[in-house]
Amino acid sequence: MPELTPDALRAAVARIAPSRIPALTQHLFEATTNAQQAQSLAPLRAFVHSWAVFIAIERHPARAERLRELERIVDAGEQDPSEAITEIRAIREAAEAEAGL
């Protein structure tokens, strides 16, 4: 896992999911603006949390694909999503632990 700084997170995203750099850049801009307006670090903490979890998931392709599959199940609404939601939660919790959050 990279350090939990915007530059380190950006470098990690550039390596594992370069197509997501524009989204990261936009999110960082919004977080910085909101932090300045609110005079709070909360928006920047949310940015770091979000992208650290993304990286922790995406650096394991099988886990990332399983998460996308589970999200499709929930989004489709064709079956009871309870098990899928439980597994999504477990994947995200594991990613948070891996990221040290």
Side-chain angles (χ1 to χ4, degrees):
M1 275 303 297
E3 290 183 35
L4 300 180
T5 65
D7 287 340
L9 294 172
R10 181 190 313 273
V13 170
R15 280 191 309 279
I16 62 172
S19 66
R20 298 299 307 261
I21 289 293
L24 179 141
T25 302
Q26 181 64 32
H27 190 184
L28 180 57
F29 175 78
E30 291 169 1
T32 303
T33 301
N34 291 338
Q36 290 171 340
Q37 290 174 347
Q39 296 183 343
S40 169
L41 292 177
L44 291 170
R45 287 187 189 113
F47 165 84
V48 167
H49 184 273
S50 175
W51 287 98
V53 169
F54 173 81
I55 291 163
I57 291 169
E58 293 296 320
R59 43 185 274 175
H60 302 283
R63 178 166 57 183
E65 182 53 38
R66 179 63 179 155
L67 178 61
R68 286 188 281 279
E69 179 182 328
L70 293 165
E71 290 171 337
R72 284 191 292 273
I73 290 169
V74 172
D75 289 344
E78 296 173 359
Q79 62 190 50
D80 180 2
S82 300
E83 289 181 22
I85 291 170
T86 299
E87 193 173 345
I88 288 169
R89 187 173 293 124
I91 289 170
R92 293 190 57 80
E93 287 173 359
E96 287 175 342
E98 186 178 315
L101 302 171

